[in-house]
Amino acid sequence: MTAVRSRSALAMALAALLLFTFRSSSRGLWNPDEPREAEIAREMFADGDWALPHLNGQPFVEKPPLYAWLSCVCFWILGGPDPLAARLPSSICGALLVLITVIAARRLVAPDRAWIAGLSLSTMPLLWWHSSRANLDVPLSLFIGVALLCFLRAYLRAGGQEGPVWGLDVVVGAIALGLGFLTKGPVAAVLPGLIVITFLATEGNLWFLRRVPWVRVLALVSIVVLPWAIPFCLRDGGRWARDMVVVHHLELAIGVTAVSWHRPAGTVLRFAWAWLMAPVLFFSVSACKRDLYLLPAFPAVALLSVASVDLLDPDRRWARRLAGASLTFAAVALVVVGILFVRLPVKTQNPHIAEWIASQASTLGGLTLVFCAAGVSVGVLAVRSRYTAAVACLGVPAGCAALVALGALLPALDPVKSGRALFAELASPRGVVGYRLMEGDLGIFTFQRQGPIPLIQDPAEMERHLASGSRVVVQADKLDRDLSQLGRGAHVVARAPVGDSEFLLIDLGGRSDPKRR
């Protein structure tokens, strides 16, 4: 039975990997963040400098390099830099996150309903979206999830024992924290530390922290982090060394690892609630808010979704009525969403998106049928009080079909999002400079050009570069001069939309293409 369940967990993780990578190679790199992460990895792969990351030929010290290392491995396996190889580490980490969540649900919550955790997690649109992109937060979520589950295991195992907590779970948890730090820095320790402290406070057991062997945890994290941190700080000339020491000690002071799959269910659920609520509250008061910051809390939602089925006991009529009402609402919402797909407005401010919507009428019509059929099925099963089957119907046809359809539709949006119209021109041997390009936009062009692009800020510099025969990439709304002021014969060689912005490639010689003006 254990072998069968292990195979089912692996099968669910592989299905999630296929879902995350579906048609991932059919679109270019999209802002935000994705072009930057891919370009850092491409430059590392090209110059072989694995200690100090570079962006556009300049040292990049804002984030540690683990994601770039993983991307370089994928570049080597797949034969060179391309969007699929840049995204593959994020997709694999997303699938592994599904795997550990299913295993935790099977051993800690309900063995016969662990599939609900895997299904709910792999079909969460936000996790799917970021697992199909070059993204640091999915690997971070994986390492935080491993560290937290190791802590929970040690906490449950140490309940009736005395003395320091030590074992394989502590080792794995410490390594996971170190890898998380190499992915995105101190947040890999601050966030799980906050979750653990919140949980122990609700348990009235903060004294458990005294049982953690901090010296050994420090040694394990150091073994993971210092082989990169020391060469990095030496190469950086000490500019970031001071911050590195502070951050490193912060990790060791706050991060907690440690952790029998034999469960007091109430303890597990309280831990899952702390896992969910602590990040939500933490990032709610943070000055910087982005949806992907909540990804580390998603496994907790999946575990709680498994546990919520226990509320449907026949003696709990209020819970069954609430579940029936919720599923009925979901059924109606599915039908409404399905109808909206065929009534999607074609009038939009972006003509490229309007054209894309009009060209996908058959696919949107198929989605309408899928959503309406799933809505009717969920409604019928909810009326008949078959709630588990209704959840499965809600996740498989509605969730998976929608994500597969989106994966199929996204490549059609690539000309609007990736700047593809400029790629052929950027590949020419002529010199190219960037005028007032932002860091987030820069990676789109340097990744395709397979080399750095000099950046300029002064309009006079732009005129000099054009006069010398170079071309200039500029965002349309940052071009503060008319083309006629840049020199005789200045014209737009090509233009490309990138999201809500438009970028121009300007030249000073030859004849412009009237179709590109």
Side-chain angles (χ1 to χ4, degrees), residues 69-299:
W69 294 346
L70 298 175
S71 296
C72 286
V73 173
C74 293
F75 291 163
W76 179 76
I77 293 173
L78 298 181
D82 66 11
L84 174 61
R87 295 177 176 127
L88 200 54
S90 184
S91 300
I92 293 174
C93 288
L96 291 175
L97 185 62
V98 172
L99 176 63
I100 67 166
T101 304
V102 172
I103 293 174
R106 189 183 72 211
R107 297 186 177 183
L108 295 174
V109 184
D112 56 335
R113 295 195 301 273
W115 61 270
I116 296 178
L119 183 62
S120 63
L121 185 60
S122 58
T123 56
M124 290 179 183
L126 194 62
L127 180 67
W128 168 80
W129 174 239
H130 291 294
S131 296
S132 64
R133 293 168 50 83
N135 188 285
L136 303 182
D137 288 87
V138 178
L140 176 68
S141 300
L142 170 65
F143 298 133
I144 287 177
V146 171
L148 288 172
L149 290 174
C150 285
F151 165 80
L152 181 59
R153 178 176 178 176
Y155 182 80
L156 295 174
R157 177 171 53 83
Q161 302 176 6
E162 296 182 358
V165 178
W166 184 250
L168 180 62
D169 33 39
V170 180
V171 175
V172 174
I175 292 173
L177 277 184
L179 293 174
F181 184 87
L182 287 177
T183 302
K184 207 173 178 181
V187 70
V190 173
L191 199 55
L194 179 64
I195 293 168
V196 164
I197 290 173
T198 301
F199 166 70
L200 293 176
T202 59
E203 293 283 292
N205 195 15
L206 284 172
W207 289 103
F208 182 79
L209 293 175
R210 299 180 62 181
R211 300 179 58 186
V212 177
W214 293 107
V215 174
R216 283 179 278 185
V217 171
L218 167 60
L220 288 169
V221 177
S222 299
I223 289 171
V224 176
V225 174
L226 291 184
W228 163 76
I230 292 175
F232 172 81
C233 293
L234 293 176
R235 289 280 306 279
D236 192 45
R239 182 161 55 95
W240 201 49
R242 213 168 30 248
D243 293 338
M244 184 68 182
V245 171
V246 173
V247 165
H248 186 59
H249 282 86
L250 179 64
E251 175 182 27
L252 298 172
I254 300 180
V256 180
T257 62
V259 241
S260 165
W261 295 106
H262 303 291
R263 66 192 189 280
T267 301
V268 174
L269 295 185
R270 287 192 294 272
F271 184 81
W273 276 112
W275 189 347
L276 171 62
M277 296 307 300
V280 172
L281 295 175
F282 177 77
F283 288 114
S284 294
V285 300
S286 173
C288 182
K289 296 179 176 66
R290 295 181 64 185
D291 55 5
L292 54 80
Y293 292 164
L294 295 180
L295 286 177
F298 281 20

Side-chain angles (χ1 to χ4, degrees), residues 375-400:
V376 172
S377 301
V378 170
V380 171
L381 291 170
V383 169
R384 295 185 176 182
S385 299
R386 298 179 62 183
Y387 299 121
T388 303
V391 170
C393 186
L394 185 66
V396 177
C400 293

Side-chain angles (χ1 to χ4, degrees), residues 316-341:
R316 293 191 175 100
R317 293 185 179 180
W318 64 270
R320 297 179 68 84
R321 289 174 181 172
L322 179 61
S326 300
L327 289 169
T328 302
F329 175 79
V332 174
L334 285 173
V335 175
V336 171
V337 170
I339 295 173
L340 288 177
F341 271 116

